[in-house]
Amino acid sequence: MYKGILHTHTLVVTLFLLIYVVKTILLLGNRNDLLQKFTKTFKVPEMIVSALFLITGIYLVTQQPLGGSYDYLLWIKLAMVFASIPLAVIGFKKSNKILAALSLLLITGSYGLAEVYHKKKAVNAETTVASNDGKGLYEANCSVCHGNDGKLGLAGAKDLSASALDVAAMKEIILHGKGAMPASTINDEQAQMVADYVNSNLKGK
């Protein structure tokens, strides 16, 4: 489910930005007749895209593992997104070029900030791997989504306590990822330690 919603969110965000880029260009270019025609033609699709944008975005935020030092970036991104919506509505309704351009700038900037947030989270996870034991590696890289007991299930994570995978299959998924789970930044030896830890301490518990 998480993977499907993530792909849907990516698609509707792209469509949302495309619609607002076109509308902003038309407004800034004083092409009011074309803007009105475009707005009328795409009124229903725009409403659907906007609704899906908010619904899928809210769901993905609720699935984000919070508690890190970079979470403030996520909240700034959300503030930018929600600020851009009323600015866009007022800007296009009043034909206010400044508000429309500011709205587009905020919504575009919010996704740049999202990329920074995810990269910093990945780097932070990598640098916290200071131990070479399976438990420490698991807690640094896996527990945020799987939980310390393997049952958390955040962001679509599988219940490791109920896994039927053997150690080799676990190691393969840790190294290369599967579904919504990305490939890990740990090396082959560390992946083996994590798989052994999961198999011995979490599986079947």
Side-chain angles (χ1 to χ4, degrees):
M1 180 179 177
Y2 178 85
K3 185 178 179 182
I5 291 179
L6 179 61
H7 289 323
T8 301
H9 183 70
T10 302
L11 175 62
V12 296
V13 164
T14 303
L15 293 173
F16 182 87
L17 284 174
L18 182 61
I19 289 170
Y20 276 88
V21 165
V22 172
K23 290 176 68 173
T24 303
I25 290 173
L26 292 175
L27 178 60
L28 295 178
N30 296 315
R31 307 297 298 273
N32 294 328
D33 291 341
L34 281 176
L35 176 59
Q36 290 179 7
K37 185 177 181 180
F38 181 87
T39 301
K40 184 177 181 180
T41 301
F42 290 93
K43 182 178 181 179
V44 174
E46 182 180 343
M47 290 173 62
I48 294 172
V49 167
S50 298
L52 287 173
F53 169 54
L54 290 174
I55 292 170
T56 57
I58 290 170
Y59 172 82
L60 292 174
V61 168
T62 64
Q63 298 300 301
Q64 284 290 324
L66 300 177
S69 58
Y70 298 107
D71 288 344
Y72 71 93
L73 293 175
L74 178 63
W75 299 119
I76 293 174
K77 173 205 165 182
L78 292 175
M80 291 171 71
V81 170
F82 283 106
S84 70
I85 295 172
L87 287 176
V89 172
I90 297 171
F92 288 110
K93 186 175 182 180
K94 302 290 186 180
S95 295
N96 188 310
K97 297 178 181 179
I98 294 176
L99 291 182
L102 180 59
S103 172
L104 184 60
L105 182 64
L106 284 172
I107 198 71
T108 304
S110 70
Y111 287 97
L113 198 64
E115 288 301 311
V116 173
Y117 169 74
H118 290 303
K119 286 180 180 178
K120 283 186 176 292
K121 291 279 281 188
V123 170
N124 188 55
E126 185 175 357
T127 56
T128 55
V129 181
S131 67
N132 250 349
D133 66 285
K135 181 179 180 182
L137 289 164
Y138 174 86
E139 290 176 350
N141 292 274
C142 315
S143 63
V144 70
C145 291
H146 288 286
N148 288 333
D149 60 0
K151 301 178 182 181
L152 181 59
L154 196 62
K158 299 296 184 182
D159 181 352
L160 299 180
S161 67
S163 175
L165 298 175
D166 59 21
V167 172
M170 288 182 190
K171 178 183 174 182
E172 186 71 15
I173 293 174
I174 292 167
L175 287 173
H176 303 293
K178 183 178 180 181
M181 176 178 165
S184 178
T185 57
I186 62 178
N187 60 38
D188 188 89
E189 183 182 357
Q190 290 171 325
Q192 182 67 50
M193 293 178 184
V194 173
D196 287 335
Y197 172 76
V198 171
N199 186 65
S200 300
N201 296 277
L202 304 181
K203 190 176 174 182
K205 302 298 182 180

